[in-house]
Amino acid sequence: MMATLFFLALFLLGLLLALRPLLGPKEPFPEPPRREELLRELEVLKEEVEALEGEEKKRALARMVEVERLLEGYRPPAPRPFRPWPVALVLGAVVLLGVGLWRYTLPRLPGETTVTQRQEARELKALADKARRTGEVEDLLAWGRRAYELQAFDQAAEAYLEVLKKDPKNVEAVRRVGILLFMGGRPEEARIFLEIAQGADPEAAEGWLFLGNLYFQEGRMQEAIAAWEKYLEAGGEAKERVEALIAMAKAQAQGGKDGRSVYEARCAACHGLQGEGGVGPRLKGNPILKVPEAVREIVLQGRGTMPAVPLSEEELEALLGYLGSL
Ligand code: HEC
């Protein structure tokens, strides 16, 4: 609070100093109409002087000199010399104070200040520079870990792939590359990496979590359940969430045989519990259901934004039967 007031006061002071030339008293300036009059008088005097003689000519000349002198006063004032340094100093001070005010006193989201974000970016860049310079596995790992923590996944992938080139047996790198592949939507390759990694280091909980997610996505419930149970054994942190996942997978594995449960487990999220539609189009009363071969094709291959849903032949039969009754 004190800092806010302090910076605010300094900021206003700086602003005042910077603006003072604009606010100050105006330069004295003669009133314009007189000037025109004097110029006209001068013209007349010039003509008269031509025609006049003796004393009168002298008097007219004297008047001309007087008028000229008066006109002198109306010359536009010489521009004040521009002194850049004081202005630059004051402006600099204002900018600095403004930045200070903005940086230290504006309210921010908890834990998410731009300051820490900038620090993190700088830290990450330093780690990346060092890793690229030395090419040492340790440095690459340090970079990859920090990038992964900060969710800079492109950099994490770059770092861990580089580790794998140097040390193909590095389990952490194999596991993280697997996770990154999975997150990048490449489950086939991800599975290869994750299975190798978890075989080599079954203590690494995060690998089990993602492997379970992967199996679940592929519809391999028993394997998903096994992987998530290993996650819990390894002491993974997201205990409650994973227990719920296991319960869901168990329900799906058991009820997987009748069409309704298959539908609820694999289709309802997008097409609605009663087939009323949602992310995906309405299925209830949809003429496409009269063509089971088309539905089979769509389910197994996916279509447009609908992903392929791998099902066993048994599940598919049950599902098609259920859809026919919708
Ligand atoms: C992730 C969401 C999602 C899931 C899960 C999903 N669908 Fe779809 N489905 C869609 C979307 C989106 C479309 C529209 C695709 C397009 O044509 O671009 C669609 C289209 C369809 C169509 C074609 C409808 C028409 O009128 O053309 C059928 C049939 C269908 N889905 C059946 C199923 C079945 C059966 C399941 C479960 C095994 C399922 N979907 C699971 C999202 C999903």
Side-chain angles (χ1 to χ4, degrees), residues 124 131-132 136-181 183 193 206:
L124 196 58
R132 290 197 180 109
E136 294 286 339
V137 168
E138 270 315 306
D139 295 332
L140 288 164
L141 280 176
W143 174 31
R145 277 178 203 141
R146 195 74 184 110
Y148 186 88
E149 266 169 33
L150 296 177
Q151 309 198 347
F153 294 127
D154 286 351
Q155 288 194 51
E158 189 183 336
Y160 281 119
L161 283 171
E162 206 57 39
V163 172
L164 285 186
K165 274 191 215 154
K166 307 246 145 89
D167 176 11
K169 289 220 175 82
N170 187 297
V171 184
E172 176 184 337
V174 175
R175 183 176 65 242
R176 286 275 164 93
V177 168
I179 292 172
L180 291 164
L181 282 168
M183 294 199 289
F193 279 82
E206 65 171 11

Side-chain angles (χ1 to χ4, degrees), residues 112-318:
E112 264 218 339
T113 66
T114 32
V115 178
T116 56
Q117 275 172 0
R118 217 175 309 138
Q119 275 166 357
E120 285 167 357
R122 223 179 287 139
E123 183 199 352
L124 196 58
K125 178 152 188 324
L127 287 171
D129 287 347
K130 183 167 183 222
R132 290 197 180 109
R133 197 175 56 244
T134 68
E136 294 286 339
V137 168
E138 270 315 306
D139 295 332
L140 288 164
L141 280 176
W143 174 31
R145 277 178 203 141
R146 195 74 184 110
Y148 186 88
E149 266 169 33
L150 296 177
Q151 309 198 347
F153 294 127
D154 286 351
Q155 288 194 51
E158 189 183 336
Y160 281 119
L161 283 171
E162 206 57 39
V163 172
L164 285 186
K165 274 191 215 154
K166 307 246 145 89
D167 176 11
K169 289 220 175 82
N170 187 297
V171 184
E172 176 184 337
V174 175
R175 183 176 65 242
R176 286 275 164 93
V177 168
I179 292 172
L180 291 164
L181 282 168
F182 177 66
M183 294 199 289
R186 290 160 68 181
E188 306 288 314
E189 291 145 289
R191 174 150 39 75
I192 299 169
F193 279 82
L194 281 172
E195 282 173 354
I196 292 173
Q198 294 317 103
D201 179 14
E203 294 299 305
E206 65 171 11
W208 290 122
L209 178 62
F210 282 95
L211 197 54
N213 293 351
L214 199 156
Y215 289 142
F216 183 78
Q217 190 178 309
E218 290 178 341
R220 294 155 69 174
M221 293 304 148
Q222 295 307 336
E223 281 150 297
I225 293 167
W228 284 332
E229 277 170 350
K230 292 220 177 83
Y231 171 84
L232 294 178
E233 273 169 40
E237 278 171 24
K239 190 160 178 286
E240 278 169 28
R241 187 160 61 93
V242 170
E243 277 170 350
L245 285 173
I246 291 174
M248 184 178 73
K250 279 186 174 156
Q252 288 189 17
Q254 278 159 14
K257 301 293 175 259
D258 81 291
R260 188 199 181 95
S261 346
V262 174
Y263 178 81
E264 284 176 358
R266 314 300 297 278
C267 321
C270 297
H271 290 283
L273 259 184
Q274 265 83 48
E276 70 274 20
V279 179
R282 182 184 175 89
L283 293 182
K284 197 175 183 142
N286 192 322
I288 200 165
L289 299 184
K290 302 259 167 10
V291 194
E293 275 317 301
V295 177
R296 173 191 290 267
E297 172 87 7
I298 291 171
V299 170
L300 293 180
Q301 307 295 322
R303 184 216 277 182
T305 48
M306 171 173 157
V309 182
L311 293 175
S312 70
E313 187 54 36
E314 205 181 341
E315 288 170 320
L316 200 56
E317 288 297 325

